Amino acid sequence: MQLVVARIGRAHGIKGEVTVEVRTDEPELRLAPGAVLATEPSATGPLTIATGRVHSGRLLLRFEGVQDRTGAEALRNTLLIAEVDPEEVPEDPEEFYDHQLIDLDVVTRDGTIVGRIAEISHLPYQDLLIVRRPDGSEVLIPFVGEIVPEIDLQEQRAVIDPPPGLLDESQAEIAAEREDS
């Protein structure tokens, strides 16, 4: 099975290094020197990581055969994809691979059916569960512990505790209209 583990950003310096937006909780495993990664678009790869280092809080990678800034810039926005055994699970029980979450039923704490997870959107600061509702519409649910307190893989469901307005805009609280307690 294939997992997107990073997206290549801009070139860094003149020796072929690139910044990467990490999309894995295991970068030391998936983005280590020597790792061979498939790419999207596929014509760009496969790419073999030659070196990796952290600079000012960002991961920088250099790939074999990419020796200069021009080569590095040509890789911009390429997705890096690792081949992973489908039976493999993250070490931390609070972490999940995308394929484990796709198609889980989403219900509120009181059992109300919200829909089914259609995809996961990986944003820089948090992930979003894109949930397809029974009527065909979609709702975006921040994948944070306060809102998604339980993932039950045995029961194939995600339990959510949505704040007012997340599922129904008519219930949204407008800050200017709240009464101070």
Side-chain angles (χ1 to χ4, degrees):
M1 177 183 62
Q2 296 186 323
L3 290 177
V4 174
V5 293
R7 184 180 65 80
I8 298 176
R10 344 180 272 232
H12 179 84
I14 61 172
K15 296 182 180 180
E17 284 185 312
V18 294
T19 61
V20 293
E21 174 189 308
V22 176
R23 295 188 179 178
T24 176
D25 291 328
E26 303 168 316
E28 65 284 345
L29 174 67
R30 308 272 182 228
L31 300 171
V36 179
L37 302 167
T39 61
E40 180 62 41
S42 58
T44 308
L47 294 172
T48 302
I49 298 174
T51 63
R53 67 186 179 104
V54 176
H55 175 72
S56 297
R58 294 208 53 116
L59 180 61
L60 302 178
L61 297 178
R62 192 175 56 72
F63 299 98
E64 290 181 7
V66 179
Q67 303 299 323
D68 59 20
R69 186 174 186 86
T70 303
E73 275 297 333
L75 297 175
R76 192 171 190 160
N77 292 322
T78 298
L79 295 177
L80 299 175
I81 303 166
E83 191 66 39
V84 177
D85 179 351
E87 300 300 315
E88 183 180 332
V89 294
E91 288 181 23
D92 184 342
E94 296 296 314
E95 293 177 7
F96 303 94
Y97 291 137
D98 288 5
H99 73 274
Q100 294 176 291
L101 301 173
I102 301 293
D103 286 332
L104 291 185
D105 292 323
V106 178
V107 298
T108 60
R109 284 189 185 273
D110 66 6
T112 303
I113 296 170
V114 176
R116 185 167 283 188
I117 298 174
E119 85 183 81
I120 290 79
S121 178
H122 300 280
L123 302 175
Y125 297 103
Q126 72 182 22
D127 296 335
L128 289 175
L129 302 178
I130 300 173
V131 177
R132 184 154 297 120
R133 300 178 112 173
D135 66 6
S137 65
E138 290 182 342
V139 62
L140 304 178
I141 299 177
F143 192 28
V144 295
E146 294 173 350
I147 297 173
V148 186
E150 180 184 343
I151 298 288
D152 186 339
L153 296 177
Q154 296 294 339
E155 295 293 322
Q156 288 290 291
R157 69 180 189 159
V159 177
I160 65 169
D161 187 11
L166 183 66
L167 301 179
D168 183 355
E169 289 182 27
S170 68
Q171 296 176 353
E173 294 179 3
I174 299 171
E177 296 176 1
R178 286 188 206 148
E179 291 184 29
D180 292 324
S181 298

